[in-house]
């Protein structure tokens, strides 16, 4: 036998008893810029080439199909609308072709007029270019118009200053204040025009040009094709002509294509495409904004600076206003706490809001799930850590409420010590597809969901242990220990099985050696189930002092190889070979990230309540071995469990990044990242790691900790809002409790 109790107690070993966490380098809660979007929808389908601008007064105007619109209402998660701007009665009578800013005031181009409501309305004259498409003005107020070929320039009083022509089809125009030039782009050339010499110059030729922009200083020009872009510096030659010097080769590593528009906003380069918007970071990488989380529609036509340092994005379905709010992690936790309490508590259980119609929160219903006990356990643990850290009375009330719901999972059914998956009033079971697993409770008023799984069980033991250890409240401690003892008594009395209403073990509630050791040693379930049950038995013994739990743990480790099973390195876990049974092959097709969640929740009891210091030291090694495999996911929850066992280098920066980058919008919008060219894709692998580096949480699909963070796509349409209780609040408050987040 590898473990002998007498020998263990005779050997002097390194003690890894629980220590204060003050020696660790903690994550400071400096305020950061939290991004979120407010969306404004339009029901007009004629949205080609929509344009948005904001003037010096903070007014926003959206030009669409010849009409001026403005945003109304709207806040985070509750979209507003775009309605006709009738502030000036005259504006509602015109058909608009373009809108620009001059001295930060709106100037309009209509079928017949150039005018503005600023400067007491003195800017108004009739132009004679009936098909004019583009309007620009220089610093002195001179007006430049073109219909794509004809060019006509006016003074602000309407006096004609010049006429010219380009034998091409102009698609974009910008004025260059530094060089006093009007720049024009066609599909195959970039031109400029000067009012001083009244000549058109061809500056650069190529093909498939889509858009261009100048930076705020006029020294840099960005030229984009549909699938790539390049950067040029602008210099004047000795003869006074402007020339472009290419600073960057044509780069096609863009998140989305084709590119429709490009714009500098407060010194940052933004792109709009047929599949979202993206901005370039200082290191050259991109932040990508797509789907209903950020935009009303994914086809982006226009970008502009908005009021209060926001960014305005005009799309095919309306306007997005991207905000950057200074926020601390504690303030973010308060936001998420409000989200949970307002929309995600069902009978005290932590639930998902389902049935949303395109993300409309007003249409959602609280739904049961197979894992109500698990999601509630994780949220309840977050509130326990919050109370232990802050002594907030609301946190204690939340603990009591959700603990009653956990108790209800046991009392609603007639089976002693057996936790239901969920419960609901008779006649209101929401998961009708699983109607066979719903059973009526003895009181005739409620139904309970059977077939409880192992991930429910480990979640229950995790939170009962957390409550019993960290919440200084006699009622909470007593109830948590009672429920823990009830569940574990059921499992031990039933030969390490969860036995359902039919007298048979549930599909996954199996920890018996005959089941566990039937698998080849490289099958993950053999290691997982061994790790979980030892954690569960140790926890039950630690809090109840009942020897049956301690003795059963030693029996499994000494006589049935559970110690070897759980200590087996993760590098030895993989796919079953050809000679293995079909069940083993099915269980090992790919790395199971739901198992990761079960492992790490179990590590709380495996390490903290180890039967002796030798086991604690060895279990620590097994936990960190697993964590090393998970480090690329940059999941703060896994990192903080590593900190829990004393790992100094627990990826502090990655954890902070995870907590800060998580979106405030937790609706399951459709997300598509797999087509991006700015990320490096990997060959299909056992770990399901799709790229060489994980994407930001704000760019990838929202999901719980039971899925890999390397998921790139989500085929959904805003039908659910997830609860932050288990996803974000648990890692945050665990980090606060461990004092690795200050």
């Amino acid at each position: 036998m590898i473990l002998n109790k007498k020998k263990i107690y005779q050997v002097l070993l390194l003690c890894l008893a629980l220590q204060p966490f003050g020696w660790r380098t903690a994550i400071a809660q400096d305020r950061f810029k939290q991004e979120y979007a407010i969306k404004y929808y339009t029901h007009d389908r004629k949205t080609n080439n929509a344009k948005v601008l904001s003037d010096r007064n903070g007014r926003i105007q959206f030009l669409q199909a010849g009409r001026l619109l403005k945003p109304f209402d709207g806040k985070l998660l509750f979209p507003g609308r775009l309605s006709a701007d009738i502030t000036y009665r005259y504006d509602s009578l015109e058909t608009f072709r373009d809108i620009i800013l001059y001295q930060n005031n709106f100037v309009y181009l209509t079928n017949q007029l150039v005018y503005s409501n600023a400067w007491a309305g003195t800017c108004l004259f009739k132009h004679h270019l009936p098909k004019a498409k583009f309007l620009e003005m220089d610093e002195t107020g001179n007006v430049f118009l073109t219909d794509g070929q004809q060019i006509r320039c006016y003074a602000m009083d309407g006096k004609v200053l010049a006429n010219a022509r380009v034998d091409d089809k102009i698609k974009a125009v910008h004025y260059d204040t530094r060089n006093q030039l009007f720049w024009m782009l066609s599909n195959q050339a970039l031109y400029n025009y000067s009012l001083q010499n009244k000549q058109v110059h061809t500056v650069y030729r190529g093909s498939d040009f889509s858009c261009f922009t100048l930076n705020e200083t006029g020294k840099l020009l960005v030229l984009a094709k549909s699938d790539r872009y390049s950067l040029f510096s602008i210099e004047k030659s000795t003869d006074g002509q402007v020339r472009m010097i290419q600073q960057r080769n044509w780069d096609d590593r863009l998140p989305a294509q084709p590119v429709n528009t490009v714009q500098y906003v407060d010194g940052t380069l933004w792109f709009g495409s047929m599949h979202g918007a993206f901005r370039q970071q200082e290191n050259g990488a991109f932040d990508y904004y797509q789907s209903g989380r950020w935009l009303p529609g994914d086809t982006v036509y226009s970008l502009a600076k908005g009021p209060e340092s926001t960014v305005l994005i005009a799309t095919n379905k309306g306007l997005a206003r991207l905000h950057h709010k200074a926020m601390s992690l504690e303030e973010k936790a308060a936001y998420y706490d409000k989200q949970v309490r307002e929309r995600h508590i069902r009978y005290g259980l932590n639930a998902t809001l389902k049935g949303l119609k395109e993300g409309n929160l007003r249409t959602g219903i609280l739904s049961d799930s197979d894992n109500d006990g698990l999601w509630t356990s994780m949220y309840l643990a977050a509130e326990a850590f919050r109370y232990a850290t802050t002594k907030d009375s609301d946190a204690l009330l939340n603990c009591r409420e959700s603990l009653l719901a956990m108790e209800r999972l046991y009392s609603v059914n007639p089976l002693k010590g057996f936790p239901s998956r969920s419960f609901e009033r008779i006649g209101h079971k929401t998961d009708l597809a699983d109607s066979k697993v719903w059973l009526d409770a003895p009181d005739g008023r409620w139904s309970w969901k059977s077939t409880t799984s192992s991930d429910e069980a480990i979640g229950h033991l995790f939170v009962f242990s957390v409550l019993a250890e960290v919440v200084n409240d006699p009622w909470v401690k007593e109830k948590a220990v009672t429920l823990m003892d009830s569940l574990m008594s059921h499992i031990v009395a039933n030969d390490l099985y969860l036995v359902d209403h039919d007298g048979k073990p549930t599909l996954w509630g199996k920890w018996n050696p005959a089941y566990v050791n039937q698998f080849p040693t490289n099958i993950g379930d053999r290691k997982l189930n061994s790790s979980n049950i030892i954690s569960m038995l140790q926890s039950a013994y630690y809090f109840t002092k009942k020897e049956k739990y301690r003795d059963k743990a030693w029996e499994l480790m000494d006589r049935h190889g559970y110690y070897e099973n759980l200590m087996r390195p993760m590098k030895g876990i993989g796919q079953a070979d050809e000679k293995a049974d079909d069940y083993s092959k099915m269980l090992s097709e790919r790395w199971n990230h739901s198992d990761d969640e079960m492992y790490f929740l179990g590590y709380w009891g495996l390490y903290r309540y180890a039967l002796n210091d030798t086991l604690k030291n060895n279990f620590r090694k097994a936990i960190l071995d697993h964590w090393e495999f998970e480090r690329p996911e940059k999941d703060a929850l896994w990192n903080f469990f590593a900190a829990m066992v004393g790992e100094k280098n627990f990826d502090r920066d990655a954890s902070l990044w995870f907590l800060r980058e998580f979106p405030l919008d937790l609706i399951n919008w459709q997300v598509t990242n797999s087509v991006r060219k700015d990320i490096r894709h990997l060959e299909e692998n056992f770990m399901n790691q799709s790229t060489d580096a994980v994407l930001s949480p704000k760019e990838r699909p929202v999901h719980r900790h039971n899925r890999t963070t390397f998921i790139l796509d989500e085929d959904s349409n805003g039908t659910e809002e997830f609860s932050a209780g288990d996803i974000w609040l648990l890692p945050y408050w665990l980090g606060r409790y461990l004092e690795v987040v200050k």
Side-chain angles (χ1 to χ4, degrees), residues 94-122:
E94 285 289 346
T95 299
F96 295 89
R97 291 186 174 271
D98 199 3
I99 176 175
I100 65 166
L101 292 178
Y102 175 65
Q103 297 179 350
N104 277 327
N105 292 297
F106 294 127
V107 181
Y108 309 107
L109 170 66
T110 74
N111 290 337
Q112 295 182 330
L113 300 175
V114 172
Y115 80 94
S116 176
N117 297 315
W119 311 291
T122 56

Side-chain angles (χ1 to χ4, degrees), residues 522-525 573-576 582-592 684-688:
N522 68 325
I523 303 304
D525 281 51
I573 303 302
Q575 294 178 319
D582 291 340
Y583 195 52
S584 296
K585 291 178 181 178
M586 180 273 293
L587 289 174
S588 63
E589 289 179 352
R590 290 193 175 189
W591 189 275
N592 190 323
E684 187 173 343
N685 54 78
F686 183 65
M687 289 288 294
N688 299 325

Side-chain angles (χ1 to χ4, degrees), residues 22-90:
W23 55 266
R24 294 204 182 94
T25 303
I27 297 172
Q29 292 206 72
D30 298 330
R31 294 172 73 82
F32 59 96
K33 290 185 177 180
Q34 176 65 56
E35 292 183 292
Y36 64 94
I38 297 178
K39 293 160 285 187
Y40 304 87
Y41 287 88
T42 175
H43 298 293
D44 194 327
R45 297 181 180 180
K46 297 179 181 179
T47 56
N48 289 341
N49 299 317
K51 187 174 183 178
V52 64
L53 288 172
S54 175
D55 72 359
R56 69 183 189 88
N57 300 309
R59 293 177 60 210
I60 298 171
Q61 289 194 320
F62 187 94
L63 175 57
Q64 171 191 287
R67 297 189 306 149
L68 290 180
L69 308 177
K70 64 180 179 179
F72 280 97
D73 300 327
K75 61 180 181 178
L76 174 61
L77 297 176
F78 293 91
R81 66 188 188 279
L82 289 172
S83 299
D85 190 341
I86 58 173
T87 307
Y88 285 88
R89 287 174 289 181
Y90 185 78

